Amino acid sequence: MATGLSLALSLYDLGTRSLWLDEGYTWSVASLNTSSLMRDAHDQGGHLVFYYLVVHAIMSWFGDSPFVMRLPSALAGAAAVPLVFLATCRLAADRLAGVFAAFLFAVSMPLVFWQQNARDYAVVVLLAVASTLLLVIAVQTLSHIALFGWAAVTAVASYTHTETVLLAVAQLVPMLVWPRGRSLWRPLALLVGAVAIGAGLPLLTAVNNAAQQTNFLLPPTGGVAREVATFLASGAGTPAVVTAVDYTLLGVTALLWAVALVTFVADTARRGPTDDNFGRALVLSCLFLPVLLAWVISEIDRPVFLDRYLIVSLPAAAISVAMVLARVQPRALGFYGLIYLIVFRFGVIVPTYDKAFDNFAGATHLVLANARTGDCIAFYQNSERVLYDYYAARFHGRGSHRPQAPAQVLPPVPAGDKPAMVDYYANLPPTYVATAENATNIALTVPYCARLWLFESHVGSPGGPPAQTARFDGLLTLRQRLLAYYSLPTNHLFADVEVQLFDRLPAPPGSS
């Protein structure tokens, strides 16, 4: 039932929300032929290679609609639910705790939101739960086959998203202390070495690749920590504004986490590390340790302290709460707590269905519906053109009235080309925008462009990290230089996307 609930929540309106910038990258990579996709993956150190191959396969069979591209994530999230049930039953030695955990996990807002995205995060959750379950089976049955399965899933997860390595570390810590885990040290050490050799160098390449740098993030702060905590409590995450309801949910959930931690510490202090409390040790380690490691890495290397990067801890967040509620006496009080949290979580999920990161669909349709002959279009970032092209093809493919599509101009049109034949577009990082050469290019472009549509998204901010500030300053420079030839623009605002329409100024009297 919980699995069906998860699938229903993820499939509802699955294809209606506009693709956002990262989903556009999924489309552009997964649309490549297999050899080109593998070359791109090699250049990225193998980052996301298995996820892109899955999306590539499903797109080759069923097309590239948003619904199809997001379907692997929807199915992966739903498939994780029964694994959460099985893992909790083993960790807590209590079937009721497994039922509680499955329902709490299925109605997690972060899970549902990322199930409805053509990105890898729901797949990462599936791999996280699968690796944890295999490790528990290996410890409880002393099965080398299950231990080998854990290593294989961990390797695949490492090639799916680099931050899954944090979960592997959290899984190994209890193995070093608890008796049953220590009995598997020798084969475990061999497998960890094999995984490190197989995934270490590609992961290092991905971490050091400029395309993977998280220069849009600030170092961790108290406010960011609250966002991550709210996310793991299944409150509002990245797509939504945190409200009083989310903080109430966080308060209740944090109280249950504290109960789980205090009772575990008290039991361990009294009896020591035993087989009985190994399950709680593993769950709490998977909940708290990846968060702590991400904070430390952010302080000494590069910022990675972002809620969706820590989605590997989401299953443990639900399991720890379920283990507490299942042990509450009388049992009716535990059931009341479960229903209370599920209702709370539903209230958080519902408003996120219409929350889009970037509404490129609406922005593209606006331009194509209102374009005139002689119009041009420029993109502040190259990645914006990917989604413009995606939705432009669908706009015309549905038999809509085809207007004069804007020429993608900026840098300048080669002499003799007509606007309708031009296929140049802007790729204007801040270091390029500020050059005199770019000012010249704009001047040369103006005769071809009676009106200029400028796409802007993720343009940075004046008070953010240095890369964000430079990007924002570059946009201001570009706008200022356009105003030398165009009147003040008309602004059209969408979710995290702005389209500005510039009209060319009349030629001065006497000019040729």
Side-chain angles (χ1 to χ4, degrees):
M1 181 182 255
T3 303
L5 177 61
S6 174
L7 190 60
L9 289 172
S10 63
L11 292 179
Y12 176 74
D13 275 352
L14 183 61
T16 57
R17 183 188 286 130
S18 173
L19 296 179
W20 64 290
L21 212 59
D22 284 10
E23 289 183 295
Y25 191 75
T26 296
W27 174 67
S28 63
V29 174
S31 297
L32 299 171
N33 59 50
T34 305
S35 59
S36 297
L37 191 157
M38 295 303 294
R39 280 197 302 272
D40 182 87
H42 178 270
D43 294 340
Q44 303 294 326
H47 183 65
L48 286 169
V49 59
F50 290 110
Y51 173 72
Y52 287 142
L53 286 172
V54 169
V55 179
H56 171 82
I58 196 170
M59 283 171 53
S60 66
W61 297 331
F62 303 109
D64 61 352
S65 70
F67 181 92
V68 169
M69 285 193 291
R70 290 165 175 163
L71 190 58
S73 294
L75 297 177
V81 174
L83 298 187
V84 167
F85 168 77
L86 294 174
T88 308
C89 288
R90 285 184 167 272
L91 288 165
D94 185 350
R95 185 179 178 87
L96 181 64
V99 174
F100 281 15
F103 276 99
L104 287 171
F105 182 69
V107 293
S108 297
M109 189 287 292
L111 176 67
V112 175
F113 180 82
W114 290 109
Q115 282 178 283
Q116 294 202 315
N117 271 264
R119 293 303 288 169
D120 60 303
Y121 298 106
V123 177
V124 166
V125 168
L126 174 62
L127 295 173
V129 179
S131 68
T132 303
L133 175 59
L134 287 167
L135 186 63
V136 173
I137 293 174
V139 170
Q140 293 182 344
T141 65
L142 301 181
S143 168
H144 289 188
I145 294 177
L147 197 61
F148 179 83
W150 168 84
V153 172
T154 299
V156 171
S158 300
Y159 279 95
T160 303
H161 202 281
T162 55
E163 275 69 26
T164 54
V165 174
L166 303 179
L167 178 69
V169 175
Q171 292 170 335
L172 292 174
V173 168
M175 301 284 287
L176 301 176
V177 178
W178 266 256
R180 274 196 173 272
R182 290 203 301 268
S183 65
L184 294 170
W185 273 6
R186 182 171 296 177
L188 183 64
L190 293 174
L191 288 171
V192 169
V195 171
I197 293 172
L201 288 177
L203 285 172
L204 186 62
T205 303
V207 168
N208 293 326
N209 191 299
Q212 305 302 328
Q213 297 302 309
T214 52
N215 55 16
F216 59 91
L217 293 180
L218 286 166
T221 63
V224 176
R226 284 194 299 273
E227 291 177 5
V228 170
T230 304
F231 177 89
L232 294 177
S234 296
T238 304
V241 176
V242 178
T243 66
V245 173
D246 301 294
Y247 282 128
T248 303
L249 178 59
L250 171 60
V252 174
T253 305
L255 176 62
L256 294 171
W257 288 339
V259 171
L261 183 60
V262 169
T263 55
F264 163 74
V265 170
D267 182 63
T268 305
R270 185 175 68 255
R271 300 193 299 154
T274 67
D275 291 345
D276 291 338
N277 55 35
F278 171 79
R280 284 185 287 166
L282 183 60
V283 170
L284 292 171
S285 179
C286 291
L287 172 58
F288 294 117
L289 194 54
V291 177
L292 178 61
L293 291 173
W295 189 300
V296 172
I297 292 170
S298 299
E299 294 288 357
I300 65 177
D301 183 22
R302 62 175 186 137
V304 295
F305 198 74
L306 185 66
D307 54 11
R308 61 179 181 265
Y309 290 178
L310 292 166
I311 200 168
V312 293
S313 291
L314 190 65
I319 293 172
S320 60
V321 170
M323 291 171 73
V324 171
L325 292 177
R327 298 177 65 180
V328 170
Q329 295 296 332
R331 282 288 178 89
L333 188 59
F335 277 101
Y336 172 78
L338 175 70
I339 295 171
Y340 180 80
L341 285 174
I342 288 177
V343 171
F344 239 127
R345 291 176 178 221
F346 264 114
V348 174
I349 289 173
V350 172
T352 64
Y353 277 112
D354 61 350
K355 299 292 184 184
F357 277 129
D358 313 311
N359 187 3
F360 280 98
T364 301
H365 290 181
L366 169 80
V367 173
L368 294 177
N370 294 279
R372 303 174 187 169
T373 302
D375 283 6
C376 301
I377 187 168
F379 303 90
Y380 186 56
Q381 299 180 83
N382 186 18
S383 51
E384 295 163 354
R385 189 207 177 179
V386 171
L387 286 165
Y388 172 85
D389 287 345
Y390 177 88
Y391 281 109
R394 279 148 186 77
F395 185 90
H396 299 314
R398 288 199 297 266
S400 304
H401 169 64
R402 192 184 193 287
Q404 175 65 41
Q408 294 161 349
V409 179
L410 206 67
V413 180
D417 279 355
K418 297 179 180 178
M421 298 172 63
V422 173
D423 193 31
Y424 290 82
Y425 59 93
N427 183 9
L428 305 172
T431 54
Y432 180 59
V433 169
T435 64
E437 176 190 1
N438 185 248
T440 303
N441 287 346
I442 292 174
L444 293 173
T445 302
V446 169
Y448 293 90
C449 306
R451 301 193 306 171
L452 181 68
W453 301 85
L454 177 61
F455 260 70
E456 306 165 4
S457 69
H458 299 269
V459 297
S461 62
Q468 294 271 40
T469 302
R471 186 180 297 177
F472 182 78
D473 291 342
L475 177 62
L476 295 183
T477 301
L478 173 61
R479 289 175 178 173
Q480 184 178 11
R481 287 179 172 166
L482 287 173
L483 290 176
Y485 308 96
Y486 294 92
S487 60
L488 288 171
T490 303
N491 298 329
H492 302 276
L493 300 177
F494 299 86
D496 292 322
V497 181
E498 183 174 0
V499 179
Q500 293 192 319
L501 176 59
F502 292 82
D503 277 287
R504 187 169 57 200
L505 293 169
S511 62
S512 57

